[in-house]
Amino acid sequence: MSDGNFNRSLLPHTPYASGMKAGQQITKMKAVEAYRSALKRLCPQLTDEEVKVEVERFEHEIATKN
């Protein structure tokens, strides 16, 4: 047992943190896909390359918000 100092390595492993990260990644993927389909539906004049650029910009914005 420890000497009273808190040490996380002594605690049992819990999958909570990895589950949270996985859930966040799935949410981001769904948001990007929803953005892509909305762009195609609302702006049909955009080419596939323009949609790709806008989606990449959106992904970058999501990544920098955290």
Side-chain angles (χ1 to χ4, degrees):
M1 198 64 196
S2 70
D3 59 359
N5 293 325
F6 182 69
N7 186 346
R8 289 187 188 272
S9 65
L10 297 176
L11 296 175
H13 175 70
T14 176
Y16 179 75
S18 61
M20 285 290 293
K21 289 179 184 176
Q24 289 171 345
Q25 282 304 111
I26 290 170
T27 302
K28 286 180 183 180
M29 287 178 3
K30 287 184 178 183
V32 168
E33 188 53 42
Y35 184 70
R36 179 181 289 117
S37 68
L39 271 178
K40 287 183 178 183
R41 188 180 73 247
L42 298 173
C43 304
Q45 73 276 11
L46 293 178
T47 65
D48 288 340
E49 186 62 32
E50 291 170 326
V51 169
K52 181 181 175 186
V53 169
E54 287 300 315
V55 168
E56 287 173 355
R57 184 188 57 79
F58 181 69
E59 288 175 328
H60 178 71
E61 284 185 26
I62 290 175
T64 57
K65 295 289 181 188
N66 294 350

